[in-house]
Amino acid sequence: MNTELKKFLATEFKSKAIVIDDKIVEVFAPDGEIFSLLTRIGMYTNEETRRYELHLVEYVFDKNFSEDKEIMANTIWRDLMLNGITFMGLSSGDRQGERTRIGNKIREIREVKGIEAKDLAKLANVDAANLSRIEKGKYSVGLDILSRIAFVLGHQIDIVPTQM
């Protein structure tokens, strides 16, 4: 093993990648968010190759870490390919982008209807501080609470196709 490779493998990264099975690697990003990577790294019988590729995944996640998970995912896709990691897909983590999108939509509907946040919180039986976190995408809200908020706003929860 050459010195550059030894030095790279000795480098500690904040992200941690582990093999789950033959096709899945889980990556714990620096903020604790967990991403799944559909890849064949777990199939390698050569432990040295597996270790190197896992370490390369950690490097790419650290290098591209961002609070904006959409930008982060896009740059990770690019860098994994540029670094020769063969993979078929990447999960979007714990869905920060979705929480933000839904929170923004709740705020938008509330404001269009002229409802104060504290009034929506009271009518939906939600703590006002939690409603604020929901609208900012900082709180992972359950279906029951989300349904109550939607009902107060005159909406319902539905599953619709993703817009590409």
Side-chain angles (χ1 to χ4, degrees):
M1 189 182 305
N2 72 34
T3 21
E4 289 296 314
L5 181 56
K6 283 182 184 177
K7 186 177 175 182
F8 173 72
L9 290 174
T11 305
E12 282 292 319
F13 298 112
K14 292 179 183 174
S15 298
K16 295 296 172 210
I18 59 168
V19 172
I20 300 302
D21 61 31
D22 286 353
K23 295 185 269 182
I24 301 289
V25 167
E26 279 189 351
V27 184
F28 298 81
D31 64 353
E33 188 167 8
I34 302 170
F35 293 83
S36 294
L37 188 63
L38 185 60
T39 180
R40 303 266 183 210
I41 294 173
M43 294 182 78
Y44 295 142
T45 54
N46 181 322
E47 186 60 38
E48 190 173 293
T49 302
R50 181 184 305 163
R51 185 170 161 240
Y52 170 74
E53 290 211 4
L54 286 172
H55 210 61
L56 199 51
V57 167
E58 293 169 348
Y59 161 75
V60 168
F61 269 78
D62 271 19
K63 177 183 170 204
N64 295 292
F65 179 74
S66 170
E67 291 300 320
D68 185 329
K69 300 305 179 196
E70 196 170 327
I71 290 172
M72 179 177 152
N74 288 336
T75 56
I76 285 171
W77 268 90
R78 183 196 71 233
D79 271 7
L80 286 173
M81 288 188 290
L82 289 173
N83 282 285
I85 300 292
T86 305
F87 72 103
M88 290 70 73
L90 170 68
S91 74
S92 59
D94 73 355
R95 308 296 291 167
Q96 174 63 41
E98 278 298 287
R99 286 197 309 265
T100 301
R101 184 187 65 77
I102 291 168
N104 287 337
K105 188 68 174 176
I106 290 169
R107 179 183 300 112
E108 176 188 321
I109 294 167
R110 177 180 60 74
E111 289 174 349
V112 165
K113 291 186 171 270
I115 300 173
E116 293 287 327
K118 64 181 179 178
D119 295 329
L120 174 57
K122 187 172 188 170
L123 290 170
N125 195 25
V126 176
D127 182 73
N130 283 345
L131 178 63
S132 175
R133 287 191 285 275
I134 291 166
E135 287 187 349
K136 292 175 183 171
K138 304 289 183 193
Y139 184 78
S140 182
V141 62
L143 186 58
D144 293 339
I145 293 172
L146 192 57
S147 294
R148 289 196 314 256
I149 292 169
F151 182 82
V152 171
L153 294 171
H155 287 68
Q156 67 183 22
I157 306 302
D158 200 357
I159 297 175
V160 297
T162 303
Q163 294 177 343
M164 295 288 177

